[in-house]
Amino acid sequence: IAPNQIDALLAEPTTADRMRWLQRADLWRAEGLASLLEAGGQLINVDLGRARQVLDLCIDLAAVLAPDLRPRAIYLRAQTLALAGDCEQAQAEIYRARAEYQATGQMAAALRTNVGLLHVLIHLGRHQEALATAADVLDAAAQAGDSLPPETIALLTALLQQNRGICLKNMGQYAAA
């Protein structure tokens, strides 16, 4: 979805008008919502306000068009909250996204939400909680066995270890980091 399309979509005053806009643009389907969600994710590093608007719309529309996309939209919205400094609300959204990922059977994605959770906990200065969370998730990933692809486990482990290192560094435990 092009930036001018995002502008036109967000210029519509109501959700119903935005739904009609998506229908006219031939985006009123799961693939269209996936494209809109991707655009919302890309906007996070460019314009938090617009990203939040797009992601809120994706959350609303996912129930109708593609329920499996709803947890990703919630997780991305959590990122906007964290970047805006609302870490407590971001944490709540991460938990919500995780629960919805689990409810839709997306277990690898549910585990990956812990990477964002660690960022939030570190930002809040809750280093012991972050370390405990990382240890729990590393154990869960190790026990996942064949239920997760090896590359998913490797990536998750690397991201968790990186965040553990940041946490330990922030705590002054340089040797352990």
Side-chain angles (χ1 to χ4, degrees):
I1 294 179
N4 64 330
Q5 290 178 301
I6 296 290
D7 293 339
L9 174 63
L10 295 179
E12 296 294 335
T14 68
T15 300
D17 292 328
R18 290 174 178 180
M19 290 168 60
R20 283 190 288 279
W21 187 94
L22 289 167
Q23 289 168 344
R24 286 191 308 270
D26 195 30
L27 295 169
W28 185 251
R29 58 188 191 289
E31 296 80 14
L33 184 61
S35 295
L36 185 60
L37 183 56
E38 180 69 26
Q42 291 172 356
L43 281 170
I44 290 173
N45 294 318
V46 178
D47 186 336
L48 276 180
R50 285 181 55 212
R52 178 72 186 266
Q53 288 180 291
V54 170
L55 296 169
D56 286 345
L57 181 62
C58 288
I59 291 167
D60 290 342
L61 300 181
V64 176
L65 292 176
D68 286 355
L69 294 178
R70 185 175 160 83
R72 175 97 177 119
I74 294 168
Y75 186 66
L76 289 173
R77 182 170 64 186
Q79 289 179 15
T80 69
L81 292 164
L83 289 170
D86 192 355
C87 289
E88 294 291 341
Q89 184 61 39
Q91 182 179 4
E93 289 288 286
I94 290 169
Y95 288 138
R96 184 173 164 216
R98 181 183 311 147
E100 292 206 22
Y101 274 130
Q102 290 169 335
T104 58
Q106 299 177 70
M107 302 316 285
L111 275 176
R112 277 195 308 273
T113 62
N114 288 288
V115 174
L117 179 59
L118 290 182
H119 284 285
V120 167
L121 293 173
I122 291 168
H123 185 75
L124 290 170
R126 293 162 45 190
H127 298 105
Q128 292 299 335
E129 187 178 348
L131 289 173
T133 299
D136 290 346
V137 178
L138 286 167
D139 287 345
Q143 294 173 7
D146 294 337
S147 66
L148 295 175
E151 59 275 3
T152 298
I153 294 172
L155 176 61
L156 181 61
T157 300
L159 292 169
L160 291 167
Q161 293 290 19
Q162 178 183 25
N163 283 311
R164 280 186 74 248
I166 292 167
C167 189
L168 291 166
K169 180 186 77 91
N170 288 349
M171 295 171 66
Q173 298 180 18
Y174 302 107

